[in-house]
Amino acid sequence: MQVDVLNIQGQKTGRTIELPEEIFGIEPNDHVLYLSVKQFLAAQRQGTHKVKTRMEVKGASRKLHRQKGTGGSRKGNLRNPLYKGGGSIFGPMPRDYSFKLNRKVKDLAKMSALAYKAKENAIVVIEDITLDTPKTKTFTGVLKALNIADKKALYILPENGENLYLSLRNIPSINGTLLSDMNTYDIVNAQVLVMSESAAKVFTEAEVEETA
C-alpha cells in the first residue's frame, strides 16, 4: 500500500511510503478485534465496587422473637436481607476484570485494526515535525491543513518528542502515542490514523528485516 508523505501545509512532498501488505492488506479478523478491545476496556475497570453483607451492616444480632408460637414467620435479626437496612444478597464485591490474551491474538487484532484503516483510506503520513517549544496553536494549524481538525485522530510517533506531545495533549480531538505503545483500542477509536514519516518507515524496515 503506497501512501503519499504530506508536509505540515497538507501538500504532497513528492515522497511516498510503501506500507507492507502483510500488515495493512490482510483480511481483518473481527473476533480478535472484539477480544482485544474488550481486554483493554476490562483492564481500565477499577473493580472497587462493593456492598455490605448482613455481617457488615449495623444492627442488633438478637433474634426478633421466639421461633415458634407467635403465629408469624420465623425471623432472625434485623440485619436480615429481607428487611430495610439489612445486608445485600449476592451484591458486587471487589474483583479484577482483566484477562489474558495470547501475544499472537493481540498482534493479529492490531494488524486487523490497521487493515480496516487502510481499507477506509483513513491513514495519513506526515513529515516529521520538530518543535523548539510546545505550541498547541501550531499543531492545531497542522490539523486544519490536513482537513482532520474536526475528526478524532490518533497521532503516532516513533520516539518520545516532549515538545510535540505537549503541543497536542490539550487538543480534545487527537490522541498522541508512541509507536511502541500503540494499541488496538486507540486505533479502532480513531477516525483517522496520522503517522509521522519516521513511524511509517519503521513498518517498512521491519518488513525488510523479516524478508532478509
Side-chain angles (χ1 to χ4, degrees):
M1 176 184 176
Q2 202 170 58
V3 182
D4 292 312
V5 179
L6 307 179
N7 58 25
I8 58 175
Q9 286 80 36
Q11 301 167 339
K12 294 182 181 180
T13 61
R15 302 189 300 275
T16 59
I17 292 287
E18 187 69 34
L19 298 176
E21 289 291 326
E22 289 74 11
I23 297 176
F24 294 85
I26 67 169
E27 185 62 34
N29 188 315
D30 291 337
H31 184 62
V32 296
L33 269 175
Y34 159 75
L35 290 176
S36 185
V37 170
K38 181 181 178 181
Q39 183 199 37
F40 178 86
L41 294 176
Q44 309 307 304
R45 300 184 68 174
Q46 290 184 326
T48 54
H49 41 33
K50 185 185 182 304
V51 296
K52 289 185 178 181
T53 65
R54 65 184 301 170
M55 296 174 61
E56 298 167 316
V57 296
K58 290 183 178 180
S61 60
R62 70 177 180 83
K63 189 173 173 64
L64 292 177
H65 58 70
R66 60 195 176 99
Q67 182 85 343
K68 295 180 180 293
T70 65
S73 61
R74 297 171 292 182
K75 293 181 176 66
N77 56 44
L78 285 171
R79 295 179 292 179
N80 189 313
L82 300 179
Y83 294 129
K84 181 180 179 181
S88 297
I89 309 174
F90 304 129
M93 303 297 284
R95 56 166 290 191
D96 180 12
Y97 282 92
S98 63
F99 60 93
K100 181 182 178 296
L101 279 183
N102 292 334
R103 171 57 60 183
K104 287 185 177 180
V105 173
K106 295 172 75 172
D107 289 344
L108 178 58
K110 199 177 296 184
M111 289 191 293
S112 295
L114 292 171
Y116 265 123
K117 286 293 178 282
K119 282 187 174 184
E120 296 164 1
N121 292 320
I123 297 178
V124 177
V125 178
I126 186 173
E127 64 182 3
D128 295 344
I129 302 173
T130 304
L131 297 175
D132 296 328
T133 57
K135 197 71 174 176
T136 301
K137 186 177 180 180
T138 301
F139 202 83
T140 303
V142 173
L143 296 179
K144 288 180 179 178
L146 296 173
N147 295 320
I148 58 173
D150 58 341
K151 295 182 179 180
K152 191 183 293 184
L154 176 65
Y155 189 85
I156 300 174
L157 299 152
E159 56 189 18
N160 190 22
E162 185 176 1
N163 288 335
L164 185 57
Y165 177 74
L166 292 175
S167 299
L168 63 84
R169 70 175 181 175
N170 286 333
I171 305 174
S173 63
I174 190 165
N175 178 30
T177 183
L178 296 178
L179 183 60
S180 56
D181 296 335
M182 181 178 64
N183 62 71
T184 304
Y185 176 81
D186 286 339
I187 301 171
V188 172
N189 193 42
Q191 293 175 288
V192 181
L193 194 65
V194 182
M195 286 190 284
S196 66
E197 189 174 1
S198 298
K201 285 180 178 178
V202 172
F203 288 103
T204 306
E205 292 167 359
E207 182 63 23
V208 171
E209 289 178 4
E210 287 182 4
T211 55

